[in-house]
Amino acid sequence: MNNDSSSRIVLRLKEWISAAAPGAKLPSTRHLVAEYQASPVTVQKALRTLTSQGLVESRPGVGTFVRAFRTARPADYGWQTAALGALQAPRLTNTAAMRSASNDVIAFHSGYPSRELLPERLVRAALTRVARSEASLSRPPVAGLPELQSWFAHELSTSTPVGVTPPQPSDVVVLPGSQSGLSSIFRGLVGHGQPLLVESPSYWGALLAASQAGVRVVPVPSGADGPEPGQLARAFEETGARMFYAQPNFANPTGAQWSAQRGEEVLEVVRSYGAFLVEDDWAHDFGITSASMPIAAKDDSGHVLYIRSLTKSVSPSIRVAAVIARGPARERVLTAQAAESMYVSGLLQAAALDVVTQPGWQTHLRGVSAQLQSRRDLLVTSLQRDIPQAHLANLPKGGLNLWLRLPDGTDVERLARDCEAAGVLIAGGGEWFPAEPEAPYMRLNYAGPNPGAFPEGIRIIGGLLSRQRQS
């Protein structure tokens, strides 16, 4: 008997239950089978559904009964208002980038690549192997598995120029995702109430981590070529800040990649003020027409804290990242991280290491690069045709997103609501600014599922945007 029959029985029994007294006994299974002309399996499935919904309760050997409900006194949590005091940091809202989406919508909002862009075969094989290993039962070192530390250090050292001392495995701290690492860095190295320079726009998760750590965010304008060194120096001078958070490669949300010269200029500014650069290389594995060029590879004096995550490129279920830091800064990050999570699951570390050291890993990345380019170009072509009034200042050479400036006066929140009602999910640009946006923006992710639906999604957005401008 199919699910429709079970659902029909559930609906009919709900009507019976609504008219019955609490504690009333339901008809026997044999009676229900005869009444609804259903199989015993279907009837039992319906009864399990009612039980899970809290409408009935089963008493083995006796029967099934209407559950007796008692009117509960509402819980009073008012005492917590005085105990907690005023809110010191913004609530974690349901940011557009983290929303789940059903299969029947066109999703441009997510910050994660779709399943077909993940190394599914490598991940499944790795988890199977690791489950049989010692990693599934043992506690790893606080700083991470030595083999994984070595891998992260080696990955950065391949970009290290002659004359610069490459990072060592002992410089690496493995993290349960880059978000956790940002929180540890801001708590351990900036401190409550102290200034932190941040590109504007910038990754919303970094802004949230900074806010939760109680640091004072200072925006530094950043465009397709990154921040202007003179403006960055002025911000250091005026605020007394000792840290700058940035994404030099395929920035989220803008897709910007700094030139080698701009990276050297920014590093020189940071050094001249005795400060730190937190380099978030989140999209290292998502180059399209350019490879990531870490600034950290050119610094061996401890000014750059380099974060690289495997969460998006390996699997969202394997939250593993690392920070490479040198000197006392590394010890402070490790202390802050250990206070928060003690250590990262050895099972996940071993699985991540297994995936990225397989021969098929590089082959997979080459395939992802080609797919991202195809998706990006399809989205750009659709935008040019159906939303020509949206301005794309930068065609990203890597990453997952397009950053679009919309016509002045666009109500982005209204546009997002109208799009969702029409079956399209977008992310408004306001979440990525440390202060008020200077114009309306929209971020579109081209790594989402069903790229064949991208043109239709853009057509819908364009129609709703035109309708809004005419109203």
Side-chain angles (χ1 to χ4, degrees), residues 398-441:
L400 308 177
N401 310 297
L402 296 182
W403 182 242
L404 299 161
R405 176 167 177 167
L406 300 175
D408 290 345
T410 300
D411 186 336
V412 181
E413 292 185 3
R414 174 186 162 191
L415 179 62
R417 291 194 302 269
D418 291 344
C419 285
E420 182 170 1
V424 179
L425 294 181
I426 65 171
E431 297 176 356
W432 282 271
F433 285 91
E436 295 81 3
E438 79 279 3
Y441 287 90

Side-chain angles (χ1 to χ4, degrees), residues 17-152:
I17 291 169
S18 65
K25 185 177 181 179
L26 270 68
S28 67
T29 300
R30 180 179 299 176
H31 179 90
L32 294 174
V33 166
E35 180 177 354
Y36 296 111
Q37 295 295 299
S39 71
V41 173
T42 301
V43 169
Q44 288 296 331
K45 181 178 180 181
L47 292 176
R48 286 197 299 272
T49 299
L50 294 170
T51 301
S52 68
Q53 295 175 356
L55 298 177
V56 300
E57 56 185 352
S58 177
R59 302 173 190 171
V62 180
T64 304
F65 299 83
V66 176
R67 188 175 180 185
F69 292 94
R70 298 177 180 175
T71 302
R73 178 174 60 87
D76 181 10
Y77 303 119
W79 65 271
Q80 293 189 3
T81 301
L84 295 173
L87 189 67
Q88 299 299 316
R91 299 176 179 87
L92 177 56
T93 56
N94 187 19
T95 177
M98 294 298 293
R99 291 186 58 187
S100 298
S102 59
N103 293 331
D104 58 346
V105 303
I106 303 172
F108 292 123
H109 69 298
S110 178
Y112 288 81
S114 60
R115 182 169 173 173
E116 59 264 28
L117 295 174
L118 299 177
E120 182 174 349
R121 181 181 59 81
L122 296 179
V123 170
R124 291 186 182 278
L127 290 172
T128 299
R129 283 189 289 268
V130 170
R132 298 193 296 262
S133 72
E134 286 298 314
S136 63
L137 297 172
S138 58
R139 181 182 67 83
V142 175
L145 294 179
E147 300 88 348
L148 188 57
Q149 289 179 293
S150 295
W151 183 85
F152 275 112

